[in-house]
Amino acid sequence: MNIREIVGKIRSSKEDGIKEVFLVACGGSLVDMYASQYFLQSEARELRALSYTSNEFVHAIPKSLGKSSVVIVCSHGGNTPETVEAAKVASEKGAATITLTHNKDADLIKYADYNILYEWGNDTSVEDNPMAIILNIAVEILNQTEVYEGYNKFMEGLKIVNDVVKRGQGLVAERAKKYAEKYKDEPITYVLGSGASYGHAYGFSICSLMEMQWMNASAVHSGEYFHGPFEVTDKETLYLLLMNEGRTRELDERALKFLNKYGAKVEVVDCKELGISVIDSSVVEFFNPIVFYSILCVYRGELAKLRNHDLDTRRYMGKVEY
Amino acid sequence: MNIREIVGKIRSSKEDGIKEVFLVACGGSLVDMYASQYFLQSEARELRALSYTSNEFVHAIPKSLGKSSVVIVCSHGGNTPETVEAAKVASEKGAATITLTHNKDADLIKYADYNILYEWGNDTSVEDNPMAIILNIAVEILNQTEVYEGYNKFMEGLKIVNDVVKRGQGLVAERAKKYAEKYKDEPITYVLGSGASYGHAYGFSICSLMEMQWMNASAVHSGEYFHGPFEVTDKETLYLLLMNEGRTRELDERALKFLNKYGAKVEVVDCKELGISVIDSSVVEFFNPIVFYSILCVYRGELAKLRNHDLDTRRYMGKVEY
């Protein structure tokens, strides 16, 4: 069953229609949902969209969770206890659950009305990875409940975003090496982003830098930067700026202008320069984080090499009790 | 006009009722809104609640903004250009605007259907400060649109939270001094929190540490900590854990247990230990950030003293163009 059919089935099963979409996961999987949250909160006229880290969802169940809800739950390994519990809670409250996992034997699937087993790895096409799949579900839900004007343009974008990614990865290959050479020992990295990509500024911080490289990091929204965070800016502090294409680009440009004047260690990853504008301007902003994820994988790969710190090395996760 | 009357007037002026509440501000003022966002997203059955940093709201106007919306906009000085613009945009779209500022001559007031001129300073009572006022507005809106079961208990809590704050400030006076002595030169501070208080984990990071002390900081949700961020934990890295009373306390306790085992520099500020439980258990969780704000002011005050870095010292804000 494809995404359109899954959403159609859910919609027709709900007497009062779909009123709210909950996006629930932890860590990297929650990061993958941010683009969908931003999309729905921006484009929906009636539909509610909320995201939760799984354990907060489980402990402080929102009162709106119920029969009119769709809950999208994602866990790569599919057995994160609080995420499995979140799907269970959602199911018990009468919500429709769509789960995503890379593990066909995942506990998570027990509580799935519909499960999507997604592909993973460098050889897969990004539209088959969870960030794009969840965004596709969000677009489908909005279009089937309210009609989304950008629907066709979005679907066209989904077909070509992998080409943008592949070309972009080639373009940054050398830059990423230089970045790693220059910045592999930085005491902290500030990662800036806006719009749909703020989630990936957070994601690169917590997953790629903190989790996979044990490097200190902090995500800052490009719009918030000027309201406190910019006071730490100096010639010694590293900034990685994710430049969006789309409506919030001006926010990123403002941060860049300031950083070029008062900072010195400034790395820019610019989706526009990397060629994302082949996607229609009415929907392009929602694709930025999909491109950033894959581009920044090149950067973290170079960091891992030069730091002799394999991306899979952990000291706590899956190794000790917590 | 008091808050109940303001909300009553707005409600009776809207043919289709109030459908969504937007919380829009920058930096510290946006931080003040997080408790309200958390409250509404948790407690509302129908009402939508979304928060935006002002410039993103202005550049990517959400489609749901319109005649059925209430937009709460806050700026301490009242002249932050993107916040003034946000109020203008809201007003032009037909939304009802409630503005909050400490400046009676603020540009922001031009676009206010209702303005609340709030008190500020150490001698004011916390229920008269913006975080509590905005939360009070949120509670009032929910109660007048859907009926909020906790309404009376919330109003009782509002009357006694200042006593909790004053007692708590006394209790931490010595601890805050020791904290500053031990940690005044830390290269990074991770601030952890959950539930309604996650916003203040972020707020203490960006306002008190980054803006006022030029110290590096990063906010981490206690629930997210175990899904990436905890990999940087070691005996050298400083953690400031904001322990909530209420439904998400278990998330904070889990982080504490881990930090006590694998970390060494761990400072706990615990609202329960500071006496917040005099507020009814059904509503206490929403008061945590109000207490944390004032308690952490003691901590930042001690940091400022020992670091010889006045809380008002800026290098960029209000000094250079940006």
Side-chain angles (χ1 to χ4, degrees):
Chain A
M1 206 179 314
N2 66 30
I3 288 170
R4 189 187 291 201
E5 290 164 344
I6 291 173
V7 173
K9 285 261 187 195
I10 291 173
R11 195 176 52 100
S12 63
S13 74
K14 299 214 168 281
E15 270 178 42
D16 300 325
I18 299 169
K19 297 269 178 69
E20 51 280 305
V21 177
F22 289 97
L23 303 153
V24 185
C26 296
S29 295
L30 185 59
V31 168
D32 280 343
M33 292 172 158
Y34 189 87
S36 300
Q37 178 193 318
Y38 176 83
F39 166 78
L40 286 173
Q41 292 186 346
S42 170
E43 301 305 304
R45 287 176 177 83
E46 306 257 335
L47 197 65
R48 303 208 296 184
L50 297 175
S51 73
Y52 279 88
T53 184
S54 303
N55 221 12
E56 188 148 298
F57 182 80
V58 164
H59 282 81
I61 302 174
K63 289 219 171 75
S64 53
L65 176 66
K67 290 189 196 311
S68 60
S69 313
V70 175
V71 184
I72 304 173
V73 194
C74 181
S75 168
H76 187 70
N79 295 317
T80 308
E82 56 263 53
T83 302
V84 176
E85 184 66 21
K88 182 168 178 269
V89 163
S91 189
E92 286 170 355
K93 290 278 180 186
T97 55
I98 303 176
T99 61
L100 292 95
T101 176
H102 183 54
N103 172 13
K104 69 176 172 44
D105 301 316
D107 285 348
L108 184 61
I109 303 176
K110 284 192 227 163
Y111 305 104
D113 291 318
Y114 301 91
N115 179 61
I116 296 172
L117 206 64
Y118 62 76
E119 296 176 24
W120 195 245
N122 290 335
D123 297 336
T124 62
S125 192
V126 292
E127 74 270 22
D128 299 322
N129 296 159
M131 201 191 311
I133 294 172
I134 296 165
L135 186 56
N136 192 347
I137 296 170
V139 166
E140 199 62 53
I141 291 175
L142 185 64
N143 194 51
Q144 292 198 27
T145 52
E146 302 184 12
V147 178
Y148 169 50
E149 299 84 352
Y151 184 81
N152 291 332
K153 295 293 182 193
F154 176 84
M155 292 303 165
E156 286 167 22
L158 209 50
K159 282 183 200 150
I160 58 174
V161 65
N162 196 59
D163 298 338
V164 177
V165 162
K166 291 297 157 199
R167 209 161 40 233
Q169 285 181 323
L171 285 168
V172 301
E174 279 308 310
R175 295 178 210 173
K177 270 182 203 163
K178 280 187 194 142
Y179 174 90
E181 280 163 19
K182 279 200 275 186
Y183 301 132
K184 69 182 170 54
D185 298 317
E186 286 298 315
I188 183 164
T189 310
Y190 284 104
V191 190
L192 268 61
S194 69
S197 300
Y198 173 63
H200 203 68
Y202 168 75
F204 191 71
S205 300
I206 69 151
C207 294
S208 300
L209 295 175
M210 296 173 78
E211 178 180 342
M212 296 180 179
Q213 290 300 301
W214 308 355
M215 290 177 80
N216 291 312
S218 183
V220 175
H221 191 290
S222 307
E224 285 284 284
Y225 174 62
F226 296 97
H227 302 281
F230 75 159
E231 286 287 336
V232 298
T233 302
D234 58 24
K235 304 287 183 191
E236 302 303 320
T237 306
L238 175 60
Y239 287 85
L240 173 59
L241 173 61
L242 311 187
M243 299 266 296
N244 267 331
E245 174 60 322
R247 292 181 292 176
T248 64
R249 185 173 178 84
E250 270 186 42
L251 280 63
D252 306 326
E253 283 174 342
R254 186 182 175 204
L256 180 61
K257 198 174 155 197
F258 188 90
L259 285 166
N260 280 340
K261 194 160 178 185
Y262 298 102
K265 297 177 175 175
V266 182
E267 181 80 10
V268 175
V269 180
D270 182 352
C271 271
K272 186 174 182 180
E273 187 245 331
L274 296 177
I276 202 172
S277 307
V278 294
I279 297 172
D280 194 81
S281 63
S282 63
V283 296
V284 68
E285 65 176 307
F286 308 118
F287 288 91
N288 288 295
I290 297 174
V291 175
F292 282 131
Y293 172 76
S294 298
I295 296 299
L296 290 170
C297 280
V298 182
Y299 281 78
R300 79 181 183 199
E302 295 298 336
L303 279 174
K305 262 189 251 172
L306 282 192
R307 303 179 81 246
N308 289 312
H309 186 121
D310 193 89
L311 292 169
D312 294 326
T313 307
R314 300 287 181 278
R315 46 183 149 186
Y316 306 122
M317 194 178 281
K319 293 203 161 176
V320 304
E321 224 178 298
Y322 51 88
Chain B
M1 208 180 312
N2 66 30
I3 289 170
R4 189 189 289 202
E5 289 164 345
I6 291 173
V7 173
K9 285 261 187 195
I10 292 174
R11 195 177 53 100
S12 63
S13 74
K14 300 215 167 279
E15 271 178 39
D16 300 327
I18 299 168
K19 297 268 178 70
E20 52 279 305
V21 178
F22 289 97
L23 302 153
V24 185
C26 297
S29 295
L30 185 59
V31 168
D32 280 342
M33 293 171 157
Y34 189 88
S36 300
Q37 178 192 320
Y38 176 83
F39 165 78
L40 286 172
Q41 292 186 346
S42 170
E43 301 305 305
R45 288 178 176 83
E46 307 258 334
L47 196 66
R48 303 207 296 182
L50 297 175
S51 74
Y52 279 89
T53 184
S54 303
N55 221 12
E56 187 149 298
F57 183 80
V58 165
H59 281 81
I61 302 174
K63 288 219 172 76
S64 52
L65 176 66
K67 291 189 195 310
S68 61
S69 313
V70 175
V71 183
I72 304 172
V73 193
C74 181
S75 168
H76 187 69
N79 295 317
T80 308
E82 55 262 54
T83 302
V84 176
E85 183 66 19
K88 182 168 178 269
V89 163
S91 189
E92 286 170 355
K93 289 279 179 187
T97 55
I98 303 175
T99 61
L100 291 96
T101 176
H102 183 53
N103 173 12
K104 69 175 173 39
D105 301 316
D107 284 348
L108 184 62
I109 303 176
K110 284 192 226 164
Y111 306 104
D113 290 318
Y114 300 91
N115 180 62
I116 296 171
L117 205 65
Y118 62 75
E119 296 176 23
W120 195 246
N122 290 335
D123 297 335
T124 62
S125 193
V126 292
E127 75 270 21
D128 298 321
N129 295 159
M131 201 191 310
I133 295 173
I134 296 165
L135 185 57
N136 192 347
I137 297 170
V139 166
E140 199 62 53
I141 291 175
L142 185 64
N143 194 50
Q144 292 197 26
T145 53
E146 301 185 11
V147 177
Y148 169 49
E149 299 83 353
Y151 184 82
N152 292 333
K153 295 292 182 194
F154 176 84
M155 293 303 165
E156 285 168 23
L158 210 49
K159 283 184 202 150
I160 57 175
V161 65
N162 196 59
D163 299 335
V164 177
V165 162
K166 292 298 157 199
R167 210 161 39 231
Q169 285 181 324
L171 285 168
V172 302
E174 279 307 311
R175 296 178 209 172
K177 271 183 202 162
K178 282 188 191 141
Y179 175 89
E181 279 163 21
K182 278 199 276 187
Y183 302 131
K184 70 182 170 51
D185 298 316
E186 285 298 314
I188 183 164
T189 310
Y190 284 105
V191 190
L192 268 62
S194 69
S197 299
Y198 173 63
H200 202 68
Y202 168 74
F204 190 71
S205 300
I206 69 152
C207 295
S208 300
L209 296 175
M210 296 173 78
E211 178 179 341
M212 297 181 178
Q213 290 299 302
W214 308 355
M215 290 179 80
N216 290 312
S218 183
V220 175
H221 192 289
S222 307
E224 285 284 282
Y225 174 63
F226 296 98
H227 302 281
F230 75 158
E231 286 288 334
V232 298
T233 301
D234 58 24
K235 304 288 184 192
E236 302 303 319
T237 307
L238 174 60
Y239 288 84
L240 173 60
L241 173 61
L242 311 187
M243 299 268 294
N244 267 331
E245 174 61 321
R247 292 181 294 175
T248 63
R249 185 173 176 84
E250 269 187 44
L251 279 63
D252 306 326
E253 283 174 343
R254 186 182 175 203
L256 179 62
K257 197 174 156 196
F258 189 89
L259 283 166
N260 279 340
K261 193 160 179 184
Y262 298 102
K265 297 177 176 175
V266 182
E267 181 80 10
V268 176
V269 180
D270 181 352
C271 272
K272 187 173 180 178
E273 186 244 329
L274 296 177
I276 202 172
S277 307
V278 294
I279 297 171
D280 194 82
S281 63
S282 63
V283 296
V284 68
E285 65 176 308
F286 308 118
F287 288 91
N288 288 294
I290 296 174
V291 175
F292 281 131
Y293 172 76
S294 298
I295 296 298
L296 290 170
C297 280
V298 182
Y299 281 77
R300 80 180 183 198
E302 295 298 335
L303 280 174
K305 263 189 248 171
L306 282 193
R307 301 179 81 246
N308 289 313
H309 185 119
D310 192 90
L311 292 168
D312 294 326
T313 308
R314 301 287 181 278
R315 48 184 149 185
Y316 306 122
M317 193 176 282
K319 295 205 159 176
V320 303
E321 224 178 297
Y322 51 88

